[in-house]
Amino acid sequence: MEANSVSKWCFFLCLFLIWGVQLTQCNVTYDRKALIINGHKRILFSGSIHYPRSTPEMWKGLIQKAKDGGLDVIDTYVFWNLHEPSPGNIAMQRFTKKIVQMMKDEKLFESQGGPIILSQIENEYGAISKFSGNASLAYMRWAAKMAVELGTGVPWVMCLQDDAPDPVYQGGTNFGRTAGGPFITTSYDYDAPIDEYGLIRQPKYGHLKELHRAIKLCERALVSADPTVTRLGRYEQTDARVRFNNMYYDLPPWSISILPDCENVVFNTAKVGVQTSKTRMLPTDAKLLSWETFSEDLSSANDDTDITTVGLLEQLNVTRDISDYLWYTTSVDIRASASFLRRGQRITLTVQSAGDALHVFVNGQLSGSAFGSREYKRFTFTGEVNLRAGRNIISLLSVAVGLPVGLKGERMNLVSPIGVSSVGWIPESLFARSPRPLTWYKAYFNAPEGDDPLALDMVSMGKGQVWINGQSIGRYWTLHAHGNCTQCSYSGHYNPTKCQLGCGQPTQRWYHVPRSWLKPTHNQLVVFEELLGDVSRISLVKRSVTNS
């Protein structure tokens, strides 16, 4: 979640990918039309590949596929929350100067003969600036001035937010606690030309490659002269035959044709001549064996880490962004003569929250849960709770975005593949099959044969986190998509909700498991389930792609 505040600032780099060019002899400038490389105006195609969202073992293949797909440039973020995982004393300006100086020392900028031809200061700040007024404008001026004064010798840019295109070429996976935004679990796939597993997605990859080639055929005209716009009428909603230069051309709805010589069509956005790939998630021969369980003791919410306060706290300030979980615990004393007890009634508990999720426990029993959404982050829990005569303990587990150090199991390092003798794991044969909330599960499996990408099928689970051999796969949350999947036609008025897919299906079912994280045998899987998921139905599957 690298773009939601100044503290999650991103440094944006562009890496030159034209092999064979002697970068030590390369000079890069620009004008209002194009980048100018060694005196020649160029159109360069750039796409985003975020290096932390793929494993290092995938990087070489991703770069090669990007080059083969017609990209000249790869842009990537420098993730502050990856390189400074816990808050330190490095302020933004000092950090920026430090990282830029490190790059200059390694001669990575084009002006020094390196591959970095462009830098961006700040990322997607537009949404925040709307709420900050003059203060945000002052901040942007300060950031721009600081960037220029660093003297990198390459251009700096800022993201326009509202007008910026979405250039994700391979989205990848939000491993660990690096979610790409509120209510996002691990997949950052974006339906990109290369999927999060590193596989080519057709026809998008091939169609985009053909578009790159067609535009390059028009490069000289595009960078040398201003366009002349000739209106041919309004034909967006239906198939149309248009006349241009005394010739007729057929255009599908909402499409664009490219004619480099103003006569012959070499590309139309709606006419796809590339085979479509079919993706399937297939079972593997890996079996999850030797299940064990460890249940959170709700009394662990009352230990020496407690603080007493009046009112609720700002969660991230308390957890320092290293925990998803923050317990609120209070007690209520009920007289035996209370009228609702004598009538056998329950009391209604109401909790208002601006967080992501809330689990309510009364006297150690789960009374219910409530969740926000991307559209409505604030929510209210309202439910009947069973209070008894005497002292009642009400515990609220507030869930935001982070790692569960607020739980006993994390403090005991249950996710470590190195066993802790004092941990009371209970073998499968000794614990009841009925699901319980706030429960840790552990099993072992052997790596399946082959080299197909792997994933965990978590459709039977509720909400929680998962680790393999001590490394965090990330958060899972089984929610079902809503939308309109009844028809798909691009004729008529444009509507961004047309041609939706997956209505009624889980927003994410499969969670990427990098093969490089696995050993041949005895791989440890640890799952922390907040709700009532069924671990017996978790399975390891492989991703298979065939062309049709």
Side-chain angles (χ1 to χ4, degrees):
M1 179 171 154
E2 67 280 5
N4 288 341
S5 67
V6 173
S7 65
K8 294 298 183 185
W9 170 84
C10 286
F11 191 37
F12 200 64
L13 305 178
C14 288
L15 308 180
F16 211 16
L17 286 188
I18 301 180
W19 274 259
V21 173
Q22 295 297 319
L23 292 177
T24 55
Q25 301 174 7
C26 187
N27 178 265
V28 179
T29 57
Y30 64 96
D31 63 13
R32 67 183 184 90
K33 298 289 292 184
L35 287 172
I36 304 172
I37 302 174
N38 286 341
H40 299 284
K41 292 186 177 183
R42 295 290 309 278
I43 291 177
L44 299 181
F45 290 110
S46 174
S48 289
I49 297 179
H50 303 161
Y51 64 92
R53 291 188 166 118
S54 298
T55 62
E57 292 77 10
M58 297 172 64
W59 294 346
K60 182 178 179 180
L62 294 176
I63 292 173
Q64 186 62 53
K65 289 171 183 173
K67 181 187 176 186
D68 294 343
L71 291 192
D72 305 300
V73 176
I74 286 178
D75 62 66
T76 189
Y77 299 150
V78 175
F79 286 63
W80 191 336
N81 57 348
L82 175 69
H83 296 285
E84 189 187 354
S86 60
N89 298 318
I90 303 176
M92 177 178 175
Q93 185 168 2
R94 287 172 52 204
F95 178 81
T96 306
K97 289 182 176 179
K98 179 177 179 178
I99 195 78
V100 169
Q101 188 59 50
M102 290 171 61
M103 294 176 181
K104 290 170 72 174
D105 291 344
E106 296 297 326
K107 302 187 185 310
L108 292 178
F109 288 98
E110 174 277 326
S111 57
Q112 303 169 293
I116 300 175
I117 65 171
L118 188 72
S119 301
Q120 177 179 315
I121 188 75
E122 239 338 322
N123 181 59
E124 299 177 8
Y125 190 68
I128 298 174
S129 65
K130 293 177 182 178
F131 300 100
S132 304
N134 292 333
S136 67
L137 295 177
Y139 163 72
M140 295 299 284
R141 293 190 189 100
W142 168 82
K145 182 175 181 291
M146 175 191 66
V148 172
E149 289 177 348
L150 292 174
T152 62
V154 302
W156 286 85
V157 296
M158 285 188 177
C159 184
L160 290 176
Q161 181 70 18
D162 292 337
D163 301 324
D166 182 1
V168 173
Y169 202 73
Q170 192 264 345
T173 306
N174 296 308
F175 296 115
R177 52 187 308 276
T178 58
F183 300 97
I184 293 177
T185 46
T186 71
S187 181
Y188 204 75
D189 185 87
Y190 265 87
D191 200 34
I194 304 175
D195 70 16
E196 71 169 299
Y197 300 86
L199 301 175
I200 289 174
R201 175 177 278 120
Q202 296 287 24
K204 182 172 290 186
Y205 177 90
H207 194 51
L208 192 58
K209 180 179 180 178
E210 291 181 354
L211 173 62
H212 294 155
R213 183 183 64 84
I215 293 177
K216 284 294 180 76
L217 293 175
C218 307
E219 181 177 46
R220 184 176 178 182
L222 292 172
V223 302
S224 301
D226 292 325
T228 299
V229 178
T230 303
R231 298 193 178 277
L232 304 176
R234 295 184 61 85
Y235 302 101
E236 298 98 336
Q237 300 179 27
T238 60
D239 292 294
R241 168 160 283 199
V242 300
R243 184 179 180 183
F244 175 68
N245 282 355
N246 294 320
M247 297 184 66
Y248 288 92
Y249 300 90
D250 294 321
L251 284 174
W254 299 103
S255 73
I256 297 172
S257 287
I258 298 177
L259 295 72
D261 60 358
C262 293
E263 182 176 342
N264 297 294
V265 176
V266 300
F267 182 85
N268 179 272
T269 54
K271 296 178 180 179
V272 180
V274 182
Q275 287 186 323
T276 299
S277 58
K278 182 178 181 180
T279 302
R280 295 184 299 169
M281 306 302 282
L282 303 175
T284 67
D285 57 0
K287 304 298 182 183
L288 297 174
L289 306 172
S290 305
W291 277 107
E292 296 177 280
T293 186
F294 177 89
S295 294
E296 283 287 323
D297 181 0
L298 291 186
S299 64
S300 67
N302 302 300
D303 58 19
D304 56 7
T305 64
D306 284 358
I307 59 175
T308 302
T309 184
V310 177
L312 302 181
L313 302 171
E314 203 292 313
Q315 181 150 339
L316 292 183
N317 287 341
V318 177
T319 63
R320 303 301 296 170
D321 199 23
I322 61 172
S323 173
D324 271 11
Y325 304 96
L326 181 64
W327 283 103
Y328 289 101
T329 302
T330 189
S331 61
V332 178
D333 293 325
I334 303 295
R335 297 190 304 272
S337 59
S339 58
F340 75 91
L341 288 179
R342 288 187 281 107
R343 292 194 296 266
Q345 296 177 328
R346 293 191 173 192
I347 281 185
T348 298
L349 175 68
T350 300
V351 183
Q352 293 181 330
S353 175
D356 295 345
L358 180 73
H359 305 304
V360 178
F361 295 84
V362 176
N363 297 324
Q365 300 298 313
L366 179 64
S367 295
S369 302
F371 309 100
S373 67
R374 298 193 69 177
E375 293 79 17
Y376 305 102
K377 296 179 176 60
R378 294 178 178 272
F379 62 90
T380 300
F381 169 85
T382 302
E384 292 185 346
V385 296
N386 187 20
L387 300 183
R388 63 198 180 200
R391 174 152 296 188
N392 295 265
I393 303 299
I394 300 176
S395 299
L396 310 178
L397 184 57
S398 176
V399 186
V401 179
L403 188 68
V405 296
L407 301 174
K408 182 178 179 181
E410 205 285 331
R411 293 196 295 271
M412 297 173 67
N413 200 22
L414 294 185
V415 303
S416 173
I418 302 174
V420 181
S421 58
S422 61
V423 174
W425 287 102
I426 300 176
E428 178 182 5
S429 58
L430 299 181
F431 74 86
R433 270 290 185 179
S434 57
R436 289 169 293 176
L438 302 190
T439 301
W440 298 81
Y441 298 94
K442 181 175 68 172
Y444 294 92
F445 65 95
N446 297 331
E449 296 181 354
D451 56 4
D452 294 307
L454 302 174
L456 282 172
D457 186 345
M458 303 290 288
V459 72
S460 66
M461 302 303 291
K463 181 178 182 299
Q465 301 187 43
V466 58
W467 295 259
I468 287 183
N469 292 331
Q471 299 198 70
S472 177
I473 295 296
R475 307 174 185 87
Y476 65 86
W477 194 352
T478 304
L479 298 174
H480 291 80
H482 303 284
N484 180 11
C485 298
T486 57
Q487 60 182 354
C488 181
S489 172
Y490 287 103
S491 299
H493 292 287
Y494 171 76
N495 187 328
T497 61
K498 280 189 174 183
C499 297
Q500 292 183 329
L501 301 173
C503 298
Q505 301 297 315
T507 55
Q508 184 173 349
R509 173 174 180 170
W510 297 288
Y511 293 78
H512 184 198
V513 176
R515 277 193 177 265
S516 59
W517 290 10
L518 302 183
K519 305 177 294 183
T521 60
H522 203 66
N523 295 281
Q524 177 183 278
L525 169 68
V526 174
V527 177
F528 174 68
E529 168 65 15
E530 297 175 25
L531 301 173
L532 301 172
D534 181 3
V535 296
S536 68
R537 293 170 54 198
I538 295 176
S539 63
L540 191 66
V541 298
K542 60 184 179 182
R543 190 171 180 88
S544 173
V545 175
T546 56
N547 292 324
S548 59

